[in-house]
Amino acid sequence: MEKGIVNKDKTKVIKALRKKGEKIFQMVRKNILVQHKRGLQAQVAAEFVRTASLFTSDISILKEGKIVSGKSIMGVMCLAIRKGEEITLIADGIDEQKAIWVLEEFLS
């Protein structure tokens, strides 16, 4: 599918939602250098998932072309994120800004 077609479809959806009075949220992406001393291994990954699950926004983690839900312990563990590695946090929803801020602080 051509990029222009996708953008036109997205524009139509946004216009339709605005007519219905729906709120439109912008997806927030933030590149983060993981500074937590143990990275996101086992217990730390579980705590990250618990924290991410507090938010209504969809939370995703992107690392080296792989993307997983930040609310899935198996997904987070599969990325094997270590201290010093760069990841991208993605949040999409009503509390996306707060979610990114809290999760960034968690990883620092």
Side-chain angles (χ1 to χ4, degrees), residues 4 6-7 12 32 44 46-48 56 59 63 81-82 87 93 103-105 107:
V6 173
N7 287 338
K12 286 180 185 178
I32 296 172
V44 180
E47 187 61 33
F48 179 90
T56 58
I59 311 287
K63 177 189 167 197
I81 299 167
R82 297 185 178 127
I87 62 169
L103 295 171
E104 180 180 17
E105 288 297 309
L107 295 170

Side-chain angles (χ1 to χ4, degrees), residues 63-78:
K63 177 189 167 197
E64 298 173 355
K66 296 178 186 173
I67 190 164
V68 300
S69 170
K71 297 180 180 183
S72 164
I73 187 66
M74 293 305 291
V76 174
M77 296 274 302
C78 285

Side-chain angles (χ1 to χ4, degrees), residues 11-27:
T11 302
K12 286 180 185 178
V13 170
I14 290 171
K15 285 180 182 178
L17 288 172
R18 283 189 178 137
K19 283 182 182 177
K20 290 183 174 182
E22 298 283 333
K23 292 184 179 179
I24 308 296
F25 304 103
Q26 297 292 326
M27 184 179 350

